[in-house]
Every structure is written in C-alpha cells, then in structure tokens.
Amino acid sequence: MSQKKSETFTPYVPASKSLPELTVTAIILGILLAILFGAANAYLGLLVGLTVSASIPAAVISMGILRGIFKRDSILENNIVQTMTTAGEALGAGAVFTLPALFLLNIKISQILLIFIVLTGGFLGVFMMVPLRRMLIVKEHEILPYPEGTACAEVLKSGETGGQNAKLVLSGFLVGGFLKLIVDAVKLVKSDLNIGIWRFKNAFVGMEVYPALLGVGYIIGPSIAAQMAAGGLFASIVLVPMIGFFGGDNAAVIFPATEALKQLDAAAIWDNYIRYIGAGAVAAGGLITLLKTLPTLVRTIAETVQSLQNTNGGKRSLERTDRDMPMKYVLLGIILLILIIAFVPLTEVGLIGAIAIAIFGFLFVTVASRIVGVVGSSSSPVSGMTIATLLIVALVFKLFGQHGATGILATLTVAAIVCTALAVAGDISQDLKTGYLVGGTPWKQQVAMLIGVAASGLVMGFMLVLFNQVYGFGTAAMPAPKAVLMKILVQGIFNGNLPWTLIIIGAAIAVAVEFMGVNSLVFAVGLYLPINISMTVFFGGIVRYFVNRFSKSDQEREASVERGTLYAAGLIAGESLIGVIVAVLIWVKVPLPANVIIQNQWLPFVLFLIVCWLLYRVSMKKRKA
C-alpha cells in the first residue's frame, strides 16, 4: 500500500510545471548561509557536543530575503538555498566530532589536510546518497517521515499558501523561538529537568524543555518515540543503577573511569560506562538495519541503473521531479575520490584506508540516510557510527603494523572522512525529502549540495585552527566532548586498553531487542543519547497519541495531524533559528548572561507542559469552513 501511495504522489509543484530553481541568486545566498551556519554549528559542537539543524532556519531566512528583499516567489529557489545551507551544518558536525582529537594528541596537521578531509567526506556523502534516493525518499515515502525534511517542506509551503497554514507555522515559530530565547539567550530558566527516583539509588529521569524535540516527537509518532524513550530509560533506570549497585563498595578504579566506582554519581556512571555500551548498541543496530534493507537496496540500485539506461536509450523519459545526477558521473566521482584518498601522500591512509572509507562510507551512509528518516538529523547517531568505524579501522591498521602517531593520524583521518560523509548524507536525505514534497528537481538539489560542501569546506579548516588558537580544544572554554571521546578510543586501541566488554554488551543488547520485535537502531539511539533528549521526543509522541486517540474519524484524525505537523514545524523552526542566532552572538563574542536567573527546575517544566497543551489544542481545533 505504501509503495502505491508513493508512486501516485503529486508534489506541491507538479513535474509538469517549472519554476526558477538553481539560480545565481540562490547559489550566492546559499554559499553565504552555508559558511555562516557551518561556523556557528562548529562552535556549538565544540562547546556542547551537539549541533542544530540548519534546514528549517535556512528556509525561513531564504524566504525572508528572497521574498522580502528581492521580491522573488519561487518555492523551489528557496528550497535550493536551504539545501546548500545544510552543507555547512553537516560539515561542521563531521569536522568537530573527530578532527579536534588530532589537536588534542598534539599531532601536527595543516589546514590543507583539514580542508581535504572535510571536502572528500562531504563529496562522498553526496555521491553515495544519490543511488539511495528512490528507495528511501520515493518508495518508502509513507514509511520514513524524515521529520525535519517534512517540517521544512511545510514551512516552505506555508510561505506560498499563506492564510491558515502560514498562521499555524508562524504561531509555532513564535512559541518555539520565545522559549528558546528565554532559556538559552536570556537564561531566565533552566533548560532541563533532572530528578532521582525515591529509594532507587543512581536511577534518574530527565528531559529538556526545548520545543524542537517536542516537534520531532510529534512528527515521528508515538510508536517510534516510545521505542527511543525505552532505550533511554533502559540506560538511566536499569544499567546505571545496576552498575552502581554491584560496584557500590568497590574502591578500585575501573577503566575507562579515572575515579573509584563508589565515588561516581549517576551522571559520571553514564558518562564513563553507558556511553561505550550505547556506542556498541548503535553500531550493532546500524548493521542489523543495513542487513535487513540490503535486498531492497540491491533491487533499488538495479532499478535505478535500468531506468537511467532506458532514459539514455530514449525508451522512457523520467519526469523532472525524478531526475538524479547521471549515474555514470556519480560512480566516476566516487571512484576518483577513493583513488585520490588512496594515492595522494597528503593523508597517508594508503590503499587500506581508502578501501575502509569506501566500505564503511557506503554502509553507514545507507544506515544514516535511513535513520534520519526516523529520528531526524538532530538526533542522528552519527558519532556512534563514527565510533564503530574508528574501532574497526584502528584494529585493521594495527594488524598491518601501523603504530604510534602515524597509525592514530591514519585512523582519525578515515573516521573523519566517514563521519563527514554520514553527516552530509543524512542532511541531504532530509533535503531530498523536502524537495520530493515541494516538487524540487533532485539533480539540481544534489548539485547545490556539492556547491555548499565546497564553499563551507574551504573555510572549515581555518575555523578549527582559529577556535583552537583562541579557546583551546579540551579546555573549559571549549571542551570538544565528542573529539575527546575519539581521542580516548583511538589511544585505547593502539595502547591496548579499550573497554571491549562494554562495547560488546551494547551490541548484545541491540541483538536482544531486535529479537523482541523492537527496532534495534531506534532503541540504540535512545540508549546512546542522554535520557533528557529521548524523553522530550517521547512527550511529542504522547501528544500525537492523544490526537489520534480522540479524533472521531479517520478524516478528522488526518486533518488534526496535518494541523499539528504545521505547528510542530513552527516549533522546530523557531527554536532552530534562535539557536543559530545565539550561536552567532556567542561566536562574535556578544556578551550574554552566564548564569541562570531562576534556578527552580519545575518552572521550565510547567512552561514545557503549556507548549505541549498548545500543540494538542492546535491539532484538535476544528478549522472553520
């Protein structure tokens, strides 16, 4: 049924209609926004280990500039701008999660090498995603919601239709932006809620008060949100208390912790042990997902090649909305990039490293492109899959005699290229979903992403060197948490003291939940991410559940969900845009409050419940004829 629906799907701009799309104005604006968002997100990633999604705020900004200033009214042109902008955000994530580890290890690295890594990773991410578009975006249109891509499409369409739809998005935008403003910019209230459980030592639950996660939970629905929350709860109320109980009287220091287990609180137990278990679970869940989709993947690639052959032979003409970049150029681009990585002495990864990049790049690009369709780009476990790559590649290099700084540099180079490819592939998947809904031309979006990658990649190396010189990676001013973890892992392998037991436990958990009929990758994402994120997404799923439950008919439920999705899109857009503005203000050193004014943690929870109630009310409100 799902495939039938997707085959008859008609986008907002039908294939028979052409509008200005990949224009000079869109390219210039997209390049500027890609560089800006890349710098802002690189700073945030180094500061807190997380980045913000760029697609929706980019769509809002592009509409404001193109429509408000240049008086241009093409929704497809706006779509190109937001597509290019996400390249900066993706490269920022791929770079800051891995490359600062080289600085932390005092390994000399030039800006040229930094640029080379992010550019090759970004280009591979785009090229490797192209053959997957028909399978993930078209054939599974009704199965994979791609929450941020869907929300972005609603934002773009609301700018076209105006009226009721625009009001819904705008109202959500104002609420989401306002809450983000008072939490992160003004720091009026705390951003999270953390509580222990009575007579249950080391057990804890918590949540963020950010409305974007609420909107993501609403869009992905109650089932997926619940499975994600289950993974988080399994970590916070099962594994953490269990580790604390059995090691409560242990005065020994158990690696990877640096303090005795009995001195660690719940947060320290999670940070020192659960992180590794979650990484193993994500790696195993990703491989399970890949194996399950492998037959469909092979069949879809064959169909894609056949369709392009038919097109070239003149037997059948693809519609405008179904034309990808020519497959021969895509394959040639991948092969050339792999050969350049293998034989250019700049990287020193050699043929082994290049083959590893080709294998893990394609495997995890497939997984990343699918998982962002479920949980969104902001919650995508890119770092978890990068950890899996780093672990395996480091072992292979060590097996072939690579040691010391040379082996560490080669391993981190491979991991960084793969990480960047995953981040870019996940973002372009969201963008292609947006394009599929609004009627964009796929090949033009893919070209736009390549341009965005090139523009932001050329300045990313400079930004990393600048941040390290100004703040210093691994310091209180710029902790670089993900890169510190990569440093620990790669040192652990080459020094022979990695906690493999924890990683294998995580993999075993993923296998067990898969046998129980639970989506192991979604569960593993919840296990790997902090419980605060999973629970906030779960609240969005709860709101969606009550909307489904109390709608009187299928038609009413469909209309209610549509209204709620528009409002949720506004929540995501409002928070994302304010988040980027706050990042830019911090980046240019505009003084902002350093301490929270009201320390009471229940006040932000009350504000969050009000936003939940507004989302439900908007969904259930009957539209006047």
Side-chain angles (χ1 to χ4, degrees), residues 274-353:
I274 304 303
R275 189 185 301 274
Y276 292 94
I277 295 175
V282 169
L287 291 175
I288 291 171
T289 301
L290 180 64
L291 291 174
K292 289 168 63 177
T293 59
L294 199 56
T296 305
L297 173 63
V298 173
R299 184 171 62 252
T300 304
I301 292 177
E303 292 175 356
T304 301
V305 174
Q306 183 63 39
S307 66
L308 291 174
Q309 289 176 345
N310 291 340
T311 302
N312 293 334
K315 297 179 180 178
R316 184 168 65 89
S317 177
L318 293 176
E319 293 184 324
R320 176 186 62 81
T321 53
D322 197 32
R323 295 175 190 162
D324 290 299
M325 293 174 61
M327 185 60 63
K328 59 182 180 180
Y329 296 132
V330 171
L331 296 177
L332 181 61
I334 294 174
I335 293 172
L336 284 177
L337 286 171
I338 297 300
L339 290 176
I340 290 172
I341 293 171
F343 296 109
V344 170
L346 185 64
T347 63
E348 297 184 359
V349 300
L351 187 60
I352 296 174

Side-chain angles (χ1 to χ4, degrees), residues 223-224 226-228 230-231 285 288-289 292 509-524:
S223 177
I224 297 174
Q227 293 179 56
M228 186 175 173
I288 291 171
T289 301
K292 289 168 63 177
I509 291 172
V511 173
V513 298
E514 185 71 33
F515 275 115
M516 290 187 288
V518 177
N519 188 313
S520 59
L521 186 51
V522 175
F523 183 91

Side-chain angles (χ1 to χ4, degrees), residues 342 347-354 392-414 490-491 493-496:
T347 63
E348 297 184 359
V349 300
L351 187 60
I352 296 174
I392 298 173
V393 171
L395 289 173
V396 171
F397 276 135
K398 190 174 181 180
L399 182 65
F400 278 86
Q402 294 264 24
H403 298 287
T406 303
I408 291 176
L409 175 59
T411 300
L412 285 173
T413 298
V414 171
V490 73
Q491 278 187 320
I493 292 178
F494 281 95
N495 295 335

Side-chain angles (χ1 to χ4, degrees), residues 132-154:
L132 304 175
R133 186 189 67 84
R134 283 193 177 88
M135 178 182 74
L136 300 179
I137 308 300
V138 180
K139 289 185 176 293
E140 301 198 29
H141 170 57
E142 302 291 338
I143 300 174
L144 298 175
Y146 285 96
E148 289 153 342
T150 301
C152 187
E154 296 298 338

